[in-house]
Amino acid sequence: MLSSFPNSALRAAAFALALCTAGAVCAQSPALRLRGSVKSFDGTTLLLAERSGETVPLALADNFSVNEIVPIEPSAIQPGSFVGIASMPQADGALRALEVLVFPEAARGSGEGHSNWDLMPGSTMTNATVAELASAPQGRSLMLKYKDGQKNVVVPDGVPVVTFKPGDRALLVPGAKVVVFAQSRDGKPTALRALAGRDGFAPPM
């Protein structure tokens, strides 16, 4: 049962774990992405102030892990980079990026494809390889190719560009901005993985 999750998270339940920008989380049933900030963490329970305004207590899975989300320069986006880009569709059929995640090489291929995303209403996620990169007015234009197709994405100047690296639970201090992948296990909301920013940095995905 998922009644302990906030309503905004319940709407995300239809999205499979393979959609995760930071790699798939293997589970028996779909996980939810909860976005917000840490209220408290005592090593066994993560209390999350979710963006919906609700407070969600989360038990920890036995294999609970933490990744640190790190801002990087836009120049890190190069032809051949494997990226995950949350975007909004535009009237001309192009996609306008909301954020760009440059995957570490070890995570190449994670969640490859194009799907709906729950960052904003109507947003999408494209996990793909940068096939072409060109200058565009006030930004850059990327041609992304994945196994079933391709998408053109405009990345405006100022859009957050990040990568991730292994982190630890010391990042989960009160006020830390996080994205938590969670699942109902034994009737309890359970955190599987957290993406955390340091010193108030908010994971943009």
Side-chain angles (χ1 to χ4, degrees), residues 26-106:
C26 295
Q28 298 274 330
S29 60
L32 309 177
R33 288 179 291 274
L34 306 178
R35 299 174 176 88
S37 61
V38 175
K39 290 198 73 171
S40 66
F41 178 62
D42 63 5
T44 58
T45 300
L46 175 62
L47 193 62
L48 178 69
E50 214 267 338
R51 66 177 180 177
S52 66
E54 299 178 58
T55 298
V56 185
L58 297 162
L60 304 186
D62 290 342
N63 60 347
F64 174 74
S65 62
V66 180
N67 285 118
E68 182 178 355
I69 301 299
V70 182
I72 56 177
E73 293 297 323
S75 59
I77 305 169
Q78 295 290 329
S81 297
F82 189 80
V83 298
I85 304 182
S87 306
M88 289 298 296
Q90 304 298 294
D92 61 2
L95 297 171
R96 185 178 180 87
L98 300 170
E99 59 84 29
V100 180
L101 170 72
V102 179
F103 282 86
E105 189 60 30

